[in-house]
Amino acid sequence: MTYCIAVSLKDGLVLTSDSRTNAGIDNVSIYGKMHPFCTASDRKIVLLSAGNLATTQAVIDQLKRDMKEETEVNLDTVNYLSEAAAYLGRISVEKQRRHVDAGQSSFNPSATFILAGQIGQEPHGAYLIYPEGNCITTSRQTPYLQIGENKYGKPVLDRFLKIDTALHEAGRCCLISMDSTMRSNASVGAPVELLIYHRDTLTLDEYYCFQEDNEYLSKIRKMWHEKLKEAFATLPQFSKEDSRPLPGCI
């Protein structure tokens, strides 16, 4: 299992991912889920991945090979992020189908991706590509996408992220979302990667990698925990005087 977040805001993108892979309790290792591509100078594209590692690696290898061999459609020739997402979806379906056609019935080859970045003067953005090859993007009302173990970290994103949220504020929010997930699910873990992309710069020059014992990560984890406990302690009490017998019971 893994957990990745992509936030598309007015001022740019915030991408966050964990680095733990889990093929059983005896086979836990570290593998980065954030994959930048060395594309043409007029674009920047980053991939986040979740799901079967063999499929993920096969898809990424194919994307790189298509650019190297200058195929008709590749990440350097597409004109829109939506076009790149559709192209990625086709490759993902093809790689998954190979495992199925090989008769590996007990093997689940599915993988989910988030493709994010900017191409030329087109707006920056992020697309979630499902195992079936179809995709969705963000909206003003929901400016983020998640893949992997998304349920534990979703509430904080819903509460704090808006389309005009500042990039670094969104980055802190994503780190809290990641910490909440790591606290509740042992299959998600550090190192935690964080990339902040500033709109129209076409550079990936603000990247962070937080190890488990990172001082900053430990500090915000501790402060978030303490502030939540303080807030909980100040919530108003309900009164027994307002209660009544359970309906249907004598």
Side-chain angles (χ1 to χ4, degrees):
M1 188 55 72
T2 189
Y3 180 42
C4 302
I5 317 162
V7 186
S8 183
L9 304 168
K10 182 180 63 176
D11 293 331
L13 300 166
V14 177
L15 309 179
T16 315
S17 62
D18 84 313
S19 301
R20 182 167 295 177
T21 61
N22 182 6
I25 59 175
D26 295 324
N27 190 10
V28 177
S29 59
I30 293 175
Y31 183 82
K33 317 297 172 52
M34 186 180 293
H35 314 280
F37 287 85
C38 295
T39 52
S41 59
D42 69 336
R43 62 196 62 205
K44 282 293 179 287
I45 294 176
V46 179
L47 209 61
L48 304 178
S49 61
N52 183 269
L53 188 57
T55 300
T56 297
Q57 291 180 337
V59 169
I60 292 171
D61 287 345
Q62 187 66 58
L63 293 173
K64 292 180 178 179
R65 190 179 307 119
D66 286 354
M67 284 194 293
K68 182 178 180 180
E69 297 177 357
E70 299 182 351
T71 59
E72 182 179 354
V73 179
N74 64 66
L75 293 181
D76 278 336
T77 65
V78 294
N79 295 315
Y80 305 96
L81 283 176
S82 58
E83 187 181 353
Y87 158 64
L88 170 59
R90 293 193 296 272
I91 293 178
S92 178
V93 169
E94 175 192 345
K95 298 304 180 184
Q96 294 174 67
R97 186 179 295 126
R98 288 188 178 185
H99 295 297
V100 175
D101 293 343
Q104 297 173 297
S105 58
S106 62
F107 177 72
N108 182 5
S110 65
T112 310
F113 299 92
I114 293 176
L115 182 146
Q118 185 171 15
I119 296 177
Q121 298 302 312
E122 291 297 313
H124 61 275
Y127 286 80
L128 190 159
I129 297 92
Y130 293 102
E132 296 79 12
N134 56 322
C135 63
I136 62 171
T137 189
T138 59
S139 68
R140 290 187 63 86
Q141 293 72 31
T142 307
Y144 69 87
L145 300 168
Q146 301 168 284
I147 56 175
E149 186 57 272
N150 57 29
K151 56 184 177 291
Y152 302 109
K154 189 175 187 297
V156 66
L157 302 178
D158 286 335
R159 289 183 182 276
F160 294 109
L161 288 183
K162 307 297 180 186
I163 193 67
D164 56 353
T165 300
L167 291 176
H168 286 84
E169 182 179 338
R172 293 196 302 273
C173 184
C174 287
L175 290 177
I176 292 299
S177 177
M178 183 65 69
D179 179 69
S180 299
T181 304
M182 291 191 296
R183 185 178 182 88
S184 298
N185 191 319
S187 68
V188 176
V192 174
E193 296 181 90
L194 173 68
L195 176 66
I196 295 179
Y197 171 75
H198 298 264
R199 180 187 64 192
D200 297 333
T201 59
L202 296 179
T203 58
L204 304 178
D205 57 358
E206 190 170 353
Y207 166 79
Y208 306 86
C209 185
F210 301 99
Q211 301 293 333
E212 178 65 36
D213 59 352
N214 177 268
E215 182 178 356
Y216 175 73
L217 198 61
S218 299
K219 182 177 181 179
I220 64 170
R221 175 186 296 129
K222 181 180 179 181
M223 289 185 65
W224 182 251
H225 179 69
E226 292 175 348
K227 295 300 182 181
L228 281 178
K229 289 177 65 177
E230 290 177 13
F232 180 79
T234 61
L235 291 175
Q237 297 282 351
F238 52 87
S239 172
K240 186 176 180 181
E241 283 71 26
D242 297 326
S243 68
R244 60 180 181 176
L246 181 66
C249 294
I250 304 301

